[in-house]
Amino acid sequence: MPPTFAALVTDRTRRLGTRLCVGLDPRLRLYRDPAHLREHTLDVLEATAPYAACVKPQLAFFEALGLPGFALLEEVCAAARTLGLPILLDGKRGDIGSTAEAYAQGWLAGGHAGDALTVNPFLGFGTLTPFVETARANGGAVFVLVKTSNSDQADLQGGGLSERVAAEVARLGAEEPGGEYASVGAVVGATHPGDLAAFRAAMPRALLLLPGLGAQGAAAADLAPAFHPGGTGALASASRAVQYADGLSVTASREAAQQLRNDLNAALS
């Protein structure tokens, strides 16, 4: 059986010394035309791959391009696999019944599927089942929204709700035999550094995805509590701070990814 998403990213963390998740958010308004967007996105992917534990295409920006966007997404995924990069699709999908099953098949097992997918649990924990089952069947992973990086998340995620979701993530992880990390991970914003230790303890077998580095103001120096001893167990995500570090300079993107990797390593030293 091939290695799981969790095993692949943990191996890259140990082997390459990186905990960085490089986000790709291709914004059409910044380019001359779709061909220019395609070229730049693929160039950034290749330039930053040596410093990344995984890559995170944001589905919204590909969907906004229509059918050419889906074609580009498949091209990005193929290039990432050639580069040895696990693929975490950021779609925050969530629905009920057969619709959830269709989302799971499309994004975790279909022709342009990733290796992992962000999912939204706020329609009820039962809605996670198709995503978790499909991820497990394909060696993938799901990252459940627990405490997101945006400032107004407390409108719905406060009052102990995030902690309830974290307990469900931990329960799902405990169902799985063996393996260092389970197929069910959690999204916990890097913009909440004071909460990281508690969520790390609450979900011992979950990989944590920490969005918010750079443009949202989170700092690598504050993220150590999200990691296990040895620096595994979490992926810190940066998108605009890498892809558009200095306009459309691919050199700047590579240097930004390298610096973020180094900053994360320094925080854990």
Side-chain angles (χ1 to χ4, degrees):
M1 180 178 292
T4 64
F5 174 88
L8 287 170
V9 296
T10 303
D11 173 69
R12 283 185 72 87
T13 291
R14 290 190 170 116
R15 183 166 46 85
L16 301 180
T18 180
R19 296 132 184 94
L20 178 66
C21 170
V22 171
L24 295 177
D25 296 5
R27 300 162 187 258
L28 182 58
R29 62 180 175 79
L30 301 178
Y31 299 93
R32 294 189 302 271
D33 51 39
H36 185 206
L37 177 151
R38 171 190 172 275
E39 178 185 15
H40 180 258
T41 301
L42 291 169
D43 285 349
V44 168
L45 174 63
E46 183 174 6
T48 60
Y51 311 109
C54 67
V55 62
K56 184 175 71 65
Q58 169 53 260
L59 293 183
F61 292 99
F62 293 87
E63 291 169 351
L65 299 171
L67 289 178
F70 285 96
L72 175 59
L73 178 62
E74 292 189 3
E75 195 171 1
V76 165
C77 289
R81 291 190 171 103
T82 297
L83 293 164
L85 274 175
I87 303 156
L88 197 175
L89 297 178
D90 194 353
K92 302 178 180 69
R93 294 300 191 260
D95 217 309
I96 63 172
S98 59
T99 309
E101 292 172 5
Y103 275 137
Q105 286 297 313
W107 296 117
L108 288 165
H112 44 257
D115 304 305
L117 176 71
T118 58
V119 296
N120 187 335
F122 293 105
L123 278 73
F125 292 152
T127 65
L128 296 176
T129 300
F131 296 102
V132 173
E133 289 180 347
T134 305
R136 287 172 175 168
N138 291 276
V142 295
F143 286 82
V144 181
L145 304 184
V146 170
K147 190 175 182 70
T148 54
S149 58
N150 53 308
S151 60
D152 53 353
Q153 53 78 32
D155 293 346
L156 295 177
Q157 296 169 29
L161 185 57
S162 290
E163 287 74 15
R164 286 178 60 192
V165 179
E168 178 65 8
V169 169
R171 186 192 70 79
L172 290 167
E175 290 179 347
E176 298 182 19
E180 188 174 5
Y181 293 104
S183 64
V184 183
V187 177
V188 179
T191 50
H192 310 294
D195 297 323
L196 296 178
F199 283 118
R200 174 70 284 164
M203 298 176 285
R205 294 195 63 212
L207 285 175
L208 304 184
L209 176 65
L210 314 172
L213 277 183
Q216 293 187 61
D222 297 329
L223 303 186
F227 293 85
H228 282 135
T232 62
L235 300 163
S237 177
S239 301
R240 284 169 287 175
V242 172
Q243 188 168 5
Y244 305 113
D246 183 10
L248 299 180
S249 167
V250 175
T251 298
S253 294
R254 180 176 64 249
E255 291 173 350
Q258 183 179 28
Q259 186 62 56
L260 285 167
R261 180 207 59 180
N262 293 346
D263 290 346
L264 288 163
N265 289 348
L268 293 164
S269 62

